[in-house]
Structure formats: C-alpha cells, structure tokens
Amino acid sequence: MINVQEFARRLSTLGADEFTSDDVVDLATEADVRISADLEIDAGLAQRLLDHISPAVPVTGAQMTASQWPPPVSARPAAPPVSFSSPGAVDGPSAQPARSRRSGPARGGRRPGSRRTGR
C-alpha cells in the first residue's frame, strides 16, 4: 500500500503529465471513491483510479502499489491487445490456417441436386 502523494509521484514518472495529490483526489471522485490525502491506496483502489486515466498507463494497480518502483522491465515484449468480435472467437482471421483449394479434375460421385427416379 502507498499513500496519495506516492501514488501521484509514481503516476508522474509514467508520462508527460505531472500529477499532484489533488489530481489523485479528482481521479477518485471520477471513480466514485472518497479518499483523503492521508489515505493508503491498495492495489484494488489503484486499479480503479488507473481505469479513469486517459490515455491508459502501461502498469496495473498491483504494480503501482508494489514496494519495487518502477516495475521491472520484462525481457519479453508485451503481448498485443486482444479484442473479441463474437462470443467464442479466439483467433483473428490472420491467425486461421489457409485452406487449400483443389485444382484439377472434378471428383466422381453424384451431384448434390440429382436424384434417382423410382425404379
């Protein structure tokens, strides 16, 4: 947990904007949370406040309130954001395997619309 002043200081290190304790109180007001300058901020509250910052910051509430700041930089690149267009959709169109199209002579067999008439 961190205090409001430390939260503002850490926010200031993330971007071009300089945040003050008053700015953090304003964020809390937007998030429908009542806080004061001497309140301790935990990971859940930090995340609620971060959700009201535009543009979004590249950290989570847990990272903001962690004892280690700034958060360690991962050796792996961050995964790109994923958006789902319909329930159950996992892969985007570019991730689906291409279907091969057959060329050459047509396969034998009956045509789907043809019927044998009574014998």
Side-chain angles (χ1 to χ4, degrees), residues 27 42 64 80 115:
L27 282 173
D42 65 1
M64 282 293 288
R115 294 187 187 167

Side-chain angles (χ1 to χ4, degrees), residues 4-5 14 31 39-41 51 56 77 80 98 110:
V4 173
Q5 290 83 11
L14 294 174
L39 179 75
E40 293 288 312
I41 297 175
D51 289 342
R110 289 189 307 172

Side-chain angles (χ1 to χ4, degrees), residues 27-92:
L27 282 173
T29 302
E30 289 177 28
D32 292 328
V33 176
R34 294 184 69 181
I35 67 170
S36 62
D38 58 342
L39 179 75
E40 293 288 312
I41 297 175
D42 65 1
L45 177 56
Q47 188 61 55
R48 287 181 66 185
L49 298 175
L50 291 175
D51 289 342
H52 288 275
I53 295 177
S54 181
V57 293
V59 295
T60 64
Q63 290 172 317
M64 282 293 288
T65 58
S67 59
Q68 182 181 0
W69 184 260
V73 177
S74 174
R76 295 182 354 188
V82 177
S83 61
F84 296 98
S85 59
S86 63
V90 176
D91 296 326

